[in-house]
Amino acid sequence: MILEVALLDVKQGQQAAFETAFAEAQQIVSGMSGYLSHQLQKCIEKDNRYLLLVNWETLADHQVGFRQSAEYQQWRELLHHFYENFPEVEHFTTLYPNEA
Protein backbone atom coordinates (compact mmCIF):
# COMPACT_ATOMS: atom_id res chain seq x y z
CA MET A 1 0.00 0.00 0.00
CA ILE A 2 1.14 3.54 -0.80
CA LEU A 3 0.09 6.63 1.14
CA GLU A 4 -0.17 9.84 -0.89
CA VAL A 5 0.29 12.94 1.28
CA ALA A 6 -0.56 16.45 0.08
CA LEU A 7 -0.50 19.62 2.14
CA LEU A 8 -3.09 21.98 0.63
CA ASP A 9 -3.00 25.70 1.32
CA VAL A 10 -6.31 27.16 0.15
CA LYS A 11 -6.69 30.85 -0.67
CA GLN A 12 -8.02 32.75 2.34
CA GLY A 13 -11.78 33.12 2.25
CA GLN A 14 -12.19 30.16 -0.09
CA GLN A 15 -12.32 27.41 2.55
CA ALA A 16 -16.08 26.78 2.44
CA ALA A 17 -16.12 26.70 -1.37
CA PHE A 18 -13.11 24.36 -1.38
CA GLU A 19 -14.80 21.99 1.07
CA THR A 20 -17.94 21.93 -1.08
CA ALA A 21 -15.90 21.24 -4.22
CA PHE A 22 -13.94 18.54 -2.43
CA ALA A 23 -17.19 16.78 -1.48
CA GLU A 24 -17.79 16.35 -5.22
CA ALA A 25 -14.16 15.65 -6.14
CA GLN A 26 -13.78 12.86 -3.59
CA GLN A 27 -16.32 10.84 -5.57
CA ILE A 28 -13.96 11.00 -8.55
CA VAL A 29 -10.87 9.72 -6.76
CA SER A 30 -12.75 7.05 -4.83
CA GLY A 31 -13.88 5.48 -8.10
CA MET A 32 -10.37 5.03 -9.48
CA SER A 33 -8.65 1.69 -9.92
CA GLY A 34 -6.24 1.03 -7.06
CA TYR A 35 -7.91 3.51 -4.72
CA LEU A 36 -8.27 2.20 -1.15
CA SER A 37 -9.31 5.12 1.08
CA HIS A 38 -8.79 8.80 1.81
CA GLN A 39 -9.04 11.47 4.48
CA LEU A 40 -9.18 15.24 4.27
CA GLN A 41 -8.15 16.92 7.50
CA LYS A 42 -8.33 20.63 8.35
CA CYS A 43 -5.51 22.31 10.27
CA ILE A 44 -6.39 23.78 13.64
CA GLU A 45 -3.67 26.45 13.68
CA LYS A 46 -4.06 27.62 10.06
CA ASP A 47 -7.70 27.65 8.97
CA ASN A 48 -6.84 27.58 5.27
CA ARG A 49 -4.54 24.52 5.45
CA TYR A 50 -5.72 20.98 4.74
CA LEU A 51 -4.00 17.61 4.73
CA LEU A 52 -5.09 15.12 2.09
CA LEU A 53 -4.19 11.47 2.68
CA VAL A 54 -5.00 8.90 0.00
CA ASN A 55 -4.20 5.20 0.22
CA TRP A 56 -3.44 3.50 -3.10
CA GLU A 57 -2.62 -0.11 -3.87
CA THR A 58 0.47 0.94 -5.89
CA LEU A 59 2.35 4.12 -6.78
CA ALA A 60 1.38 3.61 -10.43
CA ASP A 61 -2.29 3.62 -9.47
CA HIS A 62 -1.86 7.25 -8.41
CA GLN A 63 0.80 8.57 -10.76
CA VAL A 64 -0.36 6.83 -13.93
CA GLY A 65 -3.87 5.48 -13.40
CA PHE A 66 -5.24 8.62 -11.78
CA ARG A 67 -2.94 11.46 -12.85
CA GLN A 68 -3.10 10.50 -16.53
CA SER A 69 -6.86 9.93 -16.62
CA ALA A 70 -9.79 12.00 -17.84
CA GLU A 71 -11.09 11.86 -14.27
CA TYR A 72 -7.99 13.73 -13.08
CA GLN A 73 -8.89 16.57 -15.44
CA GLN A 74 -12.27 16.83 -13.68
CA TRP A 75 -10.46 16.77 -10.29
CA ARG A 76 -8.18 19.60 -11.46
CA GLU A 77 -11.08 21.72 -12.68
CA LEU A 78 -12.88 21.31 -9.35
CA LEU A 79 -9.95 21.93 -6.99
CA HIS A 80 -6.74 23.40 -8.38
CA HIS A 81 -7.92 27.00 -8.61
CA PHE A 82 -8.36 27.05 -4.80
CA TYR A 83 -4.66 26.55 -4.01
CA GLU A 84 -2.34 29.42 -3.10
CA ASN A 85 0.58 27.39 -4.43
CA PHE A 86 0.42 24.03 -6.13
CA PRO A 87 0.83 21.46 -3.35
CA GLU A 88 3.83 19.21 -3.03
CA VAL A 89 2.69 15.61 -3.14
CA GLU A 90 4.77 12.85 -1.60
CA HIS A 91 4.29 9.10 -1.31
CA PHE A 92 5.04 6.90 1.69
CA THR A 93 5.18 3.21 2.40
CA THR A 94 4.68 1.61 5.81
CA LEU A 95 7.74 0.36 7.65
CA TYR A 96 6.27 -0.55 11.02
CA PRO A 97 2.54 -1.12 11.06
CA ASN A 98 0.72 -0.71 14.34
CA GLU A 99 -1.52 -3.72 14.62
CA ALA A 100 -3.16 -3.22 18.00
Side-chain angles (χ1 to χ4, degrees), residues 64-82:
V64 178
F66 180 55
R67 284 267 179 98
Q68 295 180 15
S69 69
E71 290 87 349
Y72 180 70
Q73 298 309 313
Q74 295 173 328
W75 173 273
R76 275 182 40 175
E77 288 178 24
L78 283 168
L79 299 177
H80 286 200
H81 63 279
F82 288 109

Side-chain angles (χ1 to χ4, degrees), residues 2-18:
I2 299 298
L3 175 63
E4 169 197 354
V5 177
L7 197 59
L8 311 174
D9 289 325
V10 171
K11 295 172 186 169
Q12 278 294 347
Q14 295 292 306
Q15 294 94 319
F18 168 75

